[in-house]
């Protein structure tokens, strides 16, 4: 009877039940103090397996507050071109649109009512002003509508290699003007990319910008691989392609257009300063607008998984060692039987050791 009671006491799986939840609670709490919200425990395990990290450009690597740097008029003055562009962009909510409208407002240019307005996702805008058919958008939109850009090709290349995003204005099928917009990199973008590469991660930039502009920005932060000219609806497909090779992929984004990609990725990391849709779609939320927290999120996930394994070891170690002794393993040789009181103390000690080990997570200092 003594042996039976002792085995029941020592085999109580309290520490096993505490091993994972105490570590997760302490770990997610510590991460939250560092401005990293981890939505679920599954994300912790996946984060440890991530090999490839994809960054959106606008609003993620860059500040997301672009400014108009150049205006060129080929069929009218610069102010006239800016007026037409701003009138069209006034109906759009894209960051580039805000930049154009702000530039027009800064010059005191009054905007004109637009008729037959139409947004072409990822490409640009279509509308009519004073009877003239206008197109405003990317090179791709101009090519699709048959607008010839050869006459300004050299100037385009020069602007794009400076990392500027170009918007072309065509009136009645002919190039009328060009606006160049430049966004600024976030303060710690390069440091974050450097840190991830030191961790052995493959870093990719995903953007709708053309190849030259994208390569210029990527070169500033040290990203070698760029997926450019990707339409918003195609971001999810690009992630699927990477996943098909067996890679675990994380995506870092902030915009409405990033939500499908955040959901498709094995680990979605949303910037807290981004849109509500992106935040809802992400598995991990970075409250601070500091990309170095991507490194911290991966590091604390690795640290937390180690703690969980340690807790499980403590749990199984106590049971594996104590149950045979409680069952009388030593009795035929020494006459020793484990006292039920000692068994209770040992069982409690195993639970205490697991909890204390979990509490050590509170002293974790991120990279």
């Amino acid at each position: 009877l003594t042996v039976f009671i002792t085995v029941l006491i020592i085999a109580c799986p309290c520490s096993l039940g505490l091993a994972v939840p105490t570590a997760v609670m302490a770990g997610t709490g510590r991460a939250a103090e560092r401005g990293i919200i981890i939505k679920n425990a599954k994300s912790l395990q996946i984060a440890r397996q991530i090999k490839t990290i994809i960054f959106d450009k606008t609003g993620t690597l860059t500040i997301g507050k672009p400014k108009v740097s150049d205006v060129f008029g080929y069929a009218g003055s610069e102010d006239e071109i800016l007026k037409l562009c701003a009138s069209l962009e006034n109906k759009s909510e894209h960051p580039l649109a805000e930049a154009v409208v702000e530039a027009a407002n800064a010059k005191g240019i009054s905007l004109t009512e637009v008729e037959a307005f139409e947004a072409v996702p990822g490409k640009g805008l279509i509308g009519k002003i004073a009877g003239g058919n206008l197109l405003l958008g990317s090179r791709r939109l101009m090519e699709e509508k048959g607008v010839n850009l050869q006459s300004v090709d050299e100037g385009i290349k020069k602007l794009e290699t400076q990392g500027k995003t170009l918007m072309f204005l065509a009136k009645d099928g002919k190039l009328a003007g060009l606006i160049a917009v430049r966004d600024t990199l976030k303060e710690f973008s390069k440091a974050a990319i450097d840190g991830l590469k030191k961790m052995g991660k493959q870093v990719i930039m995903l953007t709708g910008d053309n190849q030259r502009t994208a390569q210029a920005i990527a070169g500033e932060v040290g990203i070698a691989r760029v997926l450019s000219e990707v339409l918003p609806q195609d971001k999810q497909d690009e992630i699927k392609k990477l996943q098909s090779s067996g890679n675990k992929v994380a995506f870092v984004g902030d915009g409405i257009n990033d939500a499908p990609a955040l959901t498709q990725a094995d680990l979605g990391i949303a910037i807290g300063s981004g849109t509500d849709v992106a935040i809802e779609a992400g598995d991990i939320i970075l409250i601070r607008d500091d990309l170095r927290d991507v490194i911290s999120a991966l590091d604390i996930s690795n640290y937390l998984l180690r703690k969980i394994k340690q807790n499980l070891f403590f749990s199984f170690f106590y049971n594996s060692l104590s149950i045979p002794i409680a069952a009388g393993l030593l009795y035929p040789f020494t006459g020793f039987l484990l006292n039920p009181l000692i068994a209770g103390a040992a069982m409690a000690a195993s639970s205490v050791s697991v909890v204390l080990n979990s509490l050590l997570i509170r002293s974790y200092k991120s990279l």
Side-chain angles (χ1 to χ4, degrees):
L1 181 62
T2 299
V3 170
F4 174 70
I5 293 172
T6 304
V7 169
L8 282 179
I9 293 172
I10 205 73
C12 180
C14 293
S15 58
L16 190 60
L18 292 169
V20 176
T22 55
V24 170
M25 288 178 64
T28 53
R30 181 58 179 156
E33 291 176 358
R34 305 289 300 178
I36 301 167
I37 305 300
I38 300 172
K39 287 187 177 181
N40 52 67
K42 182 182 177 182
S43 301
L44 296 170
Q45 185 171 352
I46 294 175
R48 193 166 180 266
Q49 303 168 359
I50 293 299
K51 300 296 182 184
T52 302
I53 301 178
I54 304 174
F55 285 88
D56 174 53
K57 181 181 78 70
T58 304
T60 303
L61 288 172
T62 63
I63 294 174
K65 295 292 183 182
K67 301 291 182 183
V68 172
S69 60
D70 306 273
V71 179
F72 298 92
Y74 307 120
S77 67
E78 292 181 3
D79 284 355
E80 289 173 345
I81 297 302
L82 185 57
K83 179 176 181 176
L84 292 174
C85 292
S87 297
L88 280 168
E89 295 284 22
N90 195 39
K91 290 181 173 290
S92 173
E93 297 179 352
H94 195 278
L96 296 180
E98 294 179 8
V100 175
V101 174
E102 285 180 7
N105 291 337
K107 286 193 169 188
I109 296 174
S110 57
L111 305 184
T112 305
E113 186 64 29
V114 179
E115 299 175 357
F117 176 83
E118 180 185 350
V120 184
K123 297 177 183 178
L125 308 171
I126 299 174
K128 288 185 177 181
I129 295 180
N133 295 313
L134 300 178
L135 296 172
L136 176 63
S138 65
R139 181 197 291 265
R140 181 181 294 185
L141 179 64
M142 298 298 117
E143 290 173 350
E144 289 180 0
K145 300 298 182 180
V147 179
N148 192 339
L149 303 178
Q150 289 183 356
S151 60
V152 293
D153 195 51
E154 288 301 318
I156 290 172
K157 290 179 181 178
K158 183 178 179 181
L159 291 169
E160 288 176 342
T161 53
Q162 295 172 0
K164 296 177 180 178
T165 300
L166 305 186
M167 291 180 284
F168 302 93
L169 177 68
K171 186 174 182 180
D172 297 325
K174 294 183 179 180
L175 182 64
L178 166 65
I179 289 184
V181 177
R182 184 70 159 88
D183 203 353
T184 305
L185 286 171
K186 290 181 179 177
E187 183 180 0
F188 299 114
S189 291
K190 190 175 189 313
I193 301 304
D194 290 342
L196 289 170
K197 289 195 291 188
K198 287 179 181 177
M199 293 175 72
K201 309 297 182 184
Q202 180 189 25
V203 183
I204 300 174
M205 187 177 83
L206 181 67
T207 178
D209 280 341
N210 67 80
Q211 183 68 21
R212 278 192 292 265
T213 300
Q215 288 288 1
I217 297 295
E220 292 183 28
V221 293
I223 296 177
R225 185 176 177 185
V226 177
L227 301 175
S228 59
E229 299 183 38
V230 180
L231 297 176
Q233 62 268 27
D234 295 333
K235 289 182 177 181
Q236 189 175 10
D237 294 331
E238 291 295 337
I239 292 176
K240 286 181 181 178
K241 290 177 185 177
L242 291 166
Q243 290 173 324
S244 64
S245 61
N247 280 339
K248 291 292 185 181
V249 177
F251 180 81
V252 186
D254 73 311
I256 294 175
N257 292 333
D258 296 329
L262 286 165
T263 303
Q264 176 61 42
D266 298 287
L267 183 68
I269 302 176
I271 307 297
S273 59
T275 63
D276 291 341
V277 175
I279 292 172
E280 185 64 28
D283 301 302
I284 294 178
I285 314 300
L286 308 182
I287 299 300
R288 301 185 304 174
D289 199 7
D290 185 343
L291 289 182
R292 293 177 300 178
D293 285 343
V294 174
I295 301 173
S296 297
L298 297 180
D299 185 64
I300 197 171
S301 297
N302 289 332
Y303 178 77
L304 196 47
L305 259 295
R306 290 198 301 271
K307 284 295 181 182
I308 289 174
K309 288 180 179 180
Q310 289 171 9
N311 286 350
L312 291 173
F313 169 77
F314 288 140
S315 301
F316 284 113
F317 174 77
Y318 271 105
N319 283 356
S320 299
L321 182 65
S322 303
I323 289 177
I325 297 175
L329 178 66
L330 302 179
Y331 184 76
F333 310 103
T334 64
F336 174 77
L337 282 178
L338 189 64
N339 190 297
L341 293 177
I342 298 175
M347 184 272 292
S350 68
S351 298
V352 171
S353 66
V354 165
V355 172
L356 290 177
N357 190 49
S358 296
L359 290 176
L360 289 176
I361 295 173
R362 304 289 297 173
S363 62
Y364 165 81
K365 289 182 171 50
S366 61
L367 295 175

